[in-house]
Amino acid sequence: MSETPCLEIKLPHINFNFQNPILNASGTFYPASFDQLCPLAKCMGGIVTKTVTPTAKTGNSQPRTVELPGIGMLNSIGLQNPGLAYTLEKDLESLSTYHLPIILSIAATSLQEFSQMSEQIVSVQSQYPNLLALEINLSCPNVDKGGLDFGSSCDGITEVVKTVRDIWPGVLWAKLTPNAGNIIPLAGAAVEAGASGITAINTLLGVAIDIRRRRPILPRVSGGYSGPGVKPVALHAVWQLYKHFPEIPIIGIGGIQSLDDTLEFMMAGASLIQVGTACFARPTLFEDIHNGLTQFARQEGLAHLQELVGCAHSQ
Amino acid sequence: MQDYLCEVVRQENIGPDLYLLSLNTLRKPQQVAFACRPGQFVMVDLHSEAFLFRRPFSVLSVDKATGIFHILYKVVGRGTQMMANWQSGFQLSVLGPLGNGFSQRPQAKMEASKTLLVGGGIGVAPLYRFLETQSKSQNQSLEDVQCVYGARTAADLGLPIVEQLEYWLGSDKLMLCTDDGSLGFHGNVAEYLRQNPRLVEDSGHIMVCGPTRMMQACVTTCRNTAPSALIEVSLEEHMPCGTGACSGCVVERADQALPSKVCLEGPVFQAQQLAWEGVS
């Protein structure tokens, strides 16, 4: 039996090694349930929280999800969450029990709110040594700019990332939308403004029609499209990002539902990956991917899994 | 909660689009046999690339000795249509038990000491499971339990279900209702409750499960007729995950600002906790 391969992933410029590259996608995960089915502390590299907003949000009305047979799902949850104060007081404490790095996903509707949130987070940072990173969910409307998503323009991204960066000293990831055209200038704006990693991609926009009732299924018409159908789109984004920003860590997300998908994302340039939609039906997927990576690394004689990151570019 | 590898033992068509699915847990070492409280549910993996979500089903019955458990379901879409074709020996993953289940019978010395079960269609499943656990419990009897069970037609009630309910309760404590009048009371269960207030008045604990509108109508009647009774409803929702992960299945609360996840905080709620439109 050969030595257990090292699944650790080191990101540039931070003094921290992820024990493996497997994270969950924000808003698709409930650790207390999942931990009963697979040991999270072993299988995962970190936990991303549900996106938290300055105050509690009740979310959208039902139905909030649409299953799209064979290709994925639409969601229109509406960022239901208990608000930042509750999350900082309660959720971070319970998440800390898994002894994994915590990535806090944040969203707001104005720069002032982003600024206040960052200050609140920094003020509790010392209480939660596991709180490693912030991931900015940029797919939220900027009320000061007529409701246009921050993430849909370079200016919007620059303003938000800079606002948070000025206050939060730690790891900062910008989660980019695929709905605003070429992702490279958007990523460039985020990096320029101080993001230390790019999460790609957020959901695509999609619509489903109830043909019997002759109207959209979702009350707000459009929802976020995720699942296996978005994988090639996400891989394209990751590929392009790695090509243009080889020094910036990429957190790959979009339709990952197997070991092979994970390997594709890593080979395209993702240092870490996030699993979302697929874990609804298969909450043990984190363990399956973890075991699969170990076996793959052993079979391929990889001393460090990190060797895979971006390897497809050199062929 | 575990993700059980199960095998189809038997699949029986017991009414129009109505199926009884019997599953056996294939035990691994150190794995416990399937057990669940009345009202808890399972998420059944359809094992098809076409379907991303599992499907939630209330557990109808569990045989502790053999590990076999049963699900009652109606074919309503492509997923359940596919399930209806499963043959004996087909293997599948079943996640469960999930959710909270009904409360224990209140022990308080109440004048209205009876328990009333109200089921519509396949909503009878958790009530059936309640009767099964009560019948096997040494401390509880079914003497004070009554059940109103309705469906569109006599055939939709499912003969094996009716027979077993009758076996537990006797025909005097089982009230059957059909929308077309083909068996029992001509009308739905909510109408039956309205016309028989005494049945509700005598009840200290009322458990309701069925289509949302049926439950809302029943709750309105029960609240007005038996204001001090503990009224519990088991909600049926589309559930992408069943584990609290997706926030897809929520219900508005009367007693708090944020909605509740039905899979995690339910599926059983006290009726007074819910902000149901049109329920007085």
Side-chain angles (χ1 to χ4, degrees), chain A residues 240-259:
Chain A
Q240 294 292 325
L241 288 167
Y242 187 82
K243 206 167 109 186
H244 285 82
F245 308 101
E247 297 302 313
I248 297 296
I250 300 160
I251 301 91
I253 168 175
I256 296 175
Q257 52 180 1
S258 65
L259 166 70

Side-chain angles (χ1 to χ4, degrees), chain A residues 28-43:
Chain A
T28 62
F29 190 69
Y30 193 76
S33 295
F34 285 45
D35 195 48
Q36 293 178 47
L37 299 164
C38 62
L40 302 184
K42 180 191 127 199
C43 302

Side-chain angles (χ1 to χ4, degrees), chain B residues 30-47:
Chain B
Q30 296 166 343
Q31 209 173 19
V32 290
F34 188 84
C36 81
R37 294 194 302 277
Q40 288 192 296
F41 67 99
V42 292
M43 295 294 290
V44 171
D45 196 335
L46 298 182
H47 292 276

Side-chain angles (χ1 to χ4, degrees), chain A residues 172-202:
Chain A
L172 182 61
W173 297 342
K175 185 171 181 177
L176 299 183
T177 173
N179 301 314
N182 188 353
I183 203 166
I184 299 307
L186 304 175
V191 171
E192 190 73 16
S196 43
I198 299 292
T199 306
I201 54 173
N202 208 327

Side-chain angles (χ1 to χ4, degrees), chain A residues 2 4 23 26 46 53 60 82 97 116 118 149 177 182 195 201 208 233 250 255 260 265 272 295 299:
Chain A
S2 58
T4 304
L23 313 178
S26 174
T53 50
N60 295 338
T97 60
Q116 287 166 349
S118 305
D149 281 4
T177 173
N182 188 353
I201 54 173
V233 180
I250 300 160
D260 286 4
F265 272 82
L272 304 170
Q295 206 181 346
Q299 278 168 358

Side-chain angles (χ1 to χ4, degrees), chain B residues 251-280:
Chain B
V251 62
E252 303 278 330
R253 295 280 296 238
D255 54 350
Q256 63 182 47
L258 283 184
S260 281
K261 294 175 184 174
V262 173
C263 65
L264 201 66
E265 295 165 66
V268 177
F269 292 89
Q270 291 185 28
Q272 65 197 30
Q273 295 175 316
L274 304 179
W276 265 353
E277 270 176 44
V279 176
S280 51

Side-chain angles (χ1 to χ4, degrees), chain A residues 124-136:
Chain A
V124 300
Q125 201 184 355
S126 61
Q127 292 171 43
Y128 302 111
N130 290 345
L131 177 56
L132 178 82
L134 298 187
E135 181 180 82
I136 309 176

Side-chain angles (χ1 to χ4, degrees), chain A residues 27-30 33-34 36-37 50 56-58 62 64-65 67 69-70 72-73 77 80-82 228 277 280-281 283, chain B residues 1-3 49-55 78 95 237 240-241 243-250 257-259 261 264:
Chain A
T28 62
F29 190 69
Y30 193 76
S33 295
F34 285 45
Q36 293 178 47
L37 299 164
K50 184 157 178 49
K57 273 176 78 81
T58 54
Q62 300 262 49
R64 291 176 164 192
T65 60
E67 186 183 42
M73 68 177 287
I77 306 297
Q80 180 185 334
N81 79 92
T277 306
F280 293 160
Chain B
M1 176 204 320
Q2 283 197 53
D3 199 7
E49 288 199 353
F51 302 103
L52 263 82
F53 302 157
R54 295 187 185 213
R55 298 293 189 270
R78 286 168 57 188
L95 186 65
E237 280 293 340
C241 73
T243 55
C246 74
S247 305
C249 64
V250 293
L258 283 184
K261 294 175 184 174
L264 201 66

